[in-house]
Amino acid sequence: MPEPGLLNNLLLLLLVLAAGVVAARKLSPLIRQHMKGEGGWGRLAERFTTVSRAKDSVRRRQTVQVGRVVYRNCVGVGIGDAGLYLEMGSTLPLLGKPPLLIPWSQVGGVEEVRLHWRKAVMLSIGKPVLATVTIDADLAQSLRPWLPASGARGMA
């Protein structure tokens, strides 16, 4: 008869393995979606990749949605004369997302939306539209001076 400690360890191991399988099944669609570029960061990178860091202050650990993919607490956002600067946080270099500098002339429609139950603003990027970028409404207030008059009026 096996020892009780051994049985407990085997049961614990099976429980951990089962939890891992469940987590992998839940996360795999999200990982596949991200790797296929369904969010739109890749399309934006084809036109707006930058090698220089933002000269203006960058607000770190922001939650940003690009298309359908939400990057939670891992994006740096800079707002200045040159445009909207987005960079993936240094903790996620394996995601391979280059920093972006989107000129204000490429920001089209502005729409109020919700992101994780908070007020947010969705920006249409590119002409024609390549992707959308959604940021928190409080952060979006900093965009007002650079948005077209019609877009700035759409923000409460």
Side-chain angles (χ1 to χ4, degrees):
M1 178 128 187
E3 293 182 35
L6 181 60
L7 283 176
N8 287 341
N9 287 341
L10 284 173
L11 285 173
L12 182 60
L13 178 62
L14 287 173
L15 183 62
V16 168
L17 288 174
V21 168
V22 169
R25 284 190 175 166
K26 294 287 186 188
L27 290 175
S28 64
L30 181 64
I31 292 168
R32 276 195 306 274
Q33 182 182 48
H34 171 77
M35 297 311 266
K36 287 193 308 190
E38 289 184 15
W41 195 295
R43 286 189 302 277
L44 292 175
E46 289 173 6
R47 288 199 37 211
F48 304 118
T49 296
T50 184
V51 292
S52 60
R53 298 194 43 93
K55 294 179 183 174
D56 302 303
S57 63
V58 175
R59 297 180 193 184
R60 306 268 178 229
R61 300 181 48 82
Q62 299 297 307
T63 296
V64 174
Q65 181 173 339
V66 179
R68 299 185 320 184
V69 178
V70 177
Y71 299 96
R72 190 171 181 153
N73 301 323
C74 64
V75 178
V77 178
I79 299 167
D81 291 333
L84 176 64
Y85 176 80
L86 302 173
E87 70 177 8
M88 195 59 63
S90 61
T91 58
L92 297 172
L94 296 176
L95 294 180
K97 302 295 184 193
L100 307 174
L101 181 58
I102 302 165
W104 297 117
S105 62
Q106 295 298 307
V107 177
V110 178
E111 181 182 341
E112 287 188 12
V113 294
R114 293 269 177 190
L115 180 60
H116 294 293
W117 304 281
R118 296 186 56 162
K119 288 184 179 180
V121 174
M122 183 172 65
L123 308 168
S124 297
I125 307 296
K127 296 174 184 174
V129 176
L130 297 171
T132 59
V133 174
T134 304
I135 61 175
D136 185 83
D138 292 337
L139 180 58
Q141 290 302 321
S142 303
L143 304 177
R144 284 186 147 213
W146 291 281
L147 293 177
S150 60
R153 278 197 304 271
M155 295 168 50

